[in-house]
Amino acid sequence: LTGDDYSVQVNLSDYLDILCPHYPADHPSSGPVETLALYLVAEGQFRGCVETKEAIKRWECNQPFAPYGPVRFSEKIQRFTPFSLGFEFLPGHHYYYS
């Protein structure tokens, strides 16, 4: 996804699922395993691919050897949320993850 101008179009009430990198417990340790964090950023920060302190961390994939398989995060695209860690999306707006 880093080489292209990749986008996903979603509508209200859709779900965006993220599956984290996962490795079997017997994975050879020939190099580092992949972990990542996804941030909700402003358009200018996304286009410039710069680190910003204003970014909102949405997910952190830091359990590459989870015994139950890949960790999955699911975000419901909704206008209102009752959850303190939920995010409210406005129709017709663009949102950027880095």
Side-chain angles (χ1 to χ4, degrees):
L1 298 180
T2 59
D4 295 322
D5 188 17
Y6 188 76
S7 66
V8 176
Q9 184 174 339
V10 294
N11 297 305
L12 290 177
S13 298
D14 285 349
Y15 285 87
L16 178 64
D17 292 332
I18 301 295
L19 291 173
C20 294
H22 184 261
Y23 299 87
D26 60 352
H27 181 278
S29 60
S30 61
V33 295
E34 184 180 13
T35 61
L36 56 93
L38 287 130
Y39 293 87
L40 187 59
V41 298
E43 180 180 8
Q45 295 152 347
F46 175 79
R47 301 254 183 249
C49 195
V50 296
E51 185 177 352
T52 176
K53 302 223 184 293
E54 297 86 32
I56 300 168
K57 185 187 285 187
R58 295 303 297 150
W59 308 291
E60 186 167 8
C61 294
N62 58 4
Q63 297 179 16
F65 297 105
Y68 45 81
V71 175
R72 180 181 129 199
F73 295 101
S74 187
E75 179 141 65
K76 184 174 183 183
I77 308 303
Q78 58 189 354
R79 176 64 187 99
F80 301 102
T81 179
F83 304 109
S84 61
L85 295 177
F87 190 80
E88 297 177 352
F89 295 89
L90 299 173
H93 288 233
H94 292 91
Y95 296 89
Y96 300 88
Y97 289 95
S98 180

